[in-house]
Amino acid sequence: MIEARRLHILRAVADHRTVTAAAAALYLTPSAVSQQLTALEQETGHRLVERGAKGVRLTPAGEILLGHTNAVLAQLERAEAELAAYSSGSAGTVTVASFATGIGLVVAPALARLAVTSPGILVRVQDAEGDASLPMVLDRQVDIAVAVEYRGAPDADDPRLTHVPLYAEPFDAVVPVTHRLADADEVPLAELAKDPWIGPYPGNPCHDVVVLACENAGFQPRLEHSSDDFRAVVALASADAGVALVPRSALRGMDLTGVVVRPVDGVAPTRRVFAAVRRGAEDHPLIRPVLEALTRAATVD
């Protein structure tokens, strides 16, 4: 008989690629993870992982079991949801991880709405970028992630997750008031190819959006300054340190002295924001109202 907790460990190892990283995500020791993998191999009668200098990879048998693992764990999430519904599930705690702008735009309004519609649900919020929040959901550290599409992110049809689209917003060009394009109605990205750039660090989903937009315009941006805080990005632009692309919602209420904000000429780069939960958990009586409140906040905005 295969134990479900060992399937969790197998999936964590497949996601994180090393026993050490999987153990840290699951709050276990590496030796405990190795012991559970060995026990799972004994239960199945197959070698499931291969260890090498670059980490751990699944064997063909391990890949087969991983496919079933995703289905089994999703079904267990559904079972928990139905049992919670049976017990009413009207009170409890839901944890949400979101990037900072998402907290202000949809998470905080959703909390205000839930205080009226579902006062028994306590929502705890953690600030985390999208590339961090999705693994937190998969590792059961949080219940919901508000994340941004980025290269390398799990697809919408990933068997481990259920995606709920929230909103999409364009990036605007931010240039110093002294810039040669400051008086333009729209800014062609190709005209910024030789400028110094200010942007998020690699790994931040917005970094991917900026780089991909510049690549589509025919150049690689020369990133001279890096910050994941868009207030810092705008401040650097106002000091004539370079140009930037910033999500429109991140500019709301910001001090824009010294810069000009203009739409991008042509197809604007866009960040698409969604909520994600472990597949099968979307109908949990605590999680479902939070997802509905997030969706409502996104459409009201």
Side-chain angles (χ1 to χ4, degrees):
M1 181 69 70
I2 298 174
E3 291 192 19
R5 64 191 178 96
R6 290 176 182 149
L7 295 180
H8 280 292
I9 290 172
L10 178 70
R11 188 161 80 178
V13 169
D15 286 342
H16 293 281
R17 303 297 183 185
T18 71
V19 169
T20 301
L26 297 173
Y27 300 102
L28 297 172
T29 64
S31 62
V33 169
S34 295
Q35 290 170 7
Q36 292 300 317
L37 287 175
T38 299
L40 185 59
E41 290 180 328
Q42 292 172 347
E43 288 173 346
T44 61
H46 290 279
R47 188 179 181 187
L48 302 175
V49 299
E50 292 181 345
R51 293 169 175 81
K54 296 184 178 180
V56 177
R57 68 180 184 87
L58 299 189
T59 65
E63 293 288 355
I64 291 172
L65 183 58
L66 180 64
H68 290 287
T69 292
N70 292 327
V72 168
L73 295 183
Q75 191 60 40
L76 287 175
E77 293 284 356
R78 295 186 187 99
E80 291 181 8
E82 289 189 19
L83 287 171
Y86 178 76
S87 301
S88 80
S90 59
T93 301
V94 175
T95 53
V96 178
S98 172
F99 58 99
T101 308
I103 291 174
L105 199 62
V106 294
V107 177
L111 263 63
R113 177 176 177 80
L114 287 165
V116 176
T117 61
S118 303
I121 298 178
L122 172 65
V123 179
R124 291 204 168 108
V125 181
Q126 298 183 29
D127 187 337
E129 293 296 338
D131 58 325
S133 63
L134 293 176
M136 291 168 72
V137 169
L138 290 172
D139 294 334
R140 304 181 71 85
Q141 297 173 9
V142 300
D143 301 303
I144 300 173
V146 175
V148 178
E149 290 181 4
Y150 60 95
R151 287 188 287 192
D155 295 331
D157 59 355
D158 188 295
R160 302 169 297 172
L161 295 168
T162 293
H163 283 222
V164 179
L166 294 179
Y167 65 91
E169 63 172 327
F171 281 61
D172 289 326
V174 178
V175 301
V177 292
T178 56
H179 195 273
R180 63 189 180 281
L181 296 177
D183 293 330
D185 292 333
E186 296 181 330
V187 173
L189 283 185
E191 296 294 321
L192 302 177
K194 295 183 179 181
D195 285 87
W197 279 72
I198 311 157
Y201 284 100
N204 186 314
C206 289
H207 174 89
D208 286 345
V209 175
V210 172
V211 171
L212 184 59
C214 293
E215 289 175 351
N216 290 337
F219 69 98
Q220 284 280 342
R222 178 163 55 91
L223 283 164
E224 294 286 351
H225 311 282
S226 298
S227 174
D228 288 335
D229 186 334
F230 286 117
R231 290 170 299 180
V233 170
V234 171
L236 287 168
S238 70
D240 206 15
V243 300
L245 289 174
V246 177
R248 188 167 291 172
S249 65
L251 295 167
R252 295 179 184 175
M254 193 181 293
D255 181 6
L256 299 177
T257 304
V259 298
V260 171
V261 178
R262 294 288 183 264
V264 172
D265 184 32
V267 179
T270 301
R271 88 167 158 183
R272 304 183 187 282
V273 179
F274 61 93
V277 299
R278 293 180 295 277
R279 189 167 292 249
E282 61 272 13
D283 288 327
H284 191 286
L286 292 177
I287 292 176
R288 185 177 61 250
V290 180
L291 289 175
E292 290 173 351
L294 289 169
T295 304
R296 178 67 179 271
T299 51
V300 166
D301 182 75

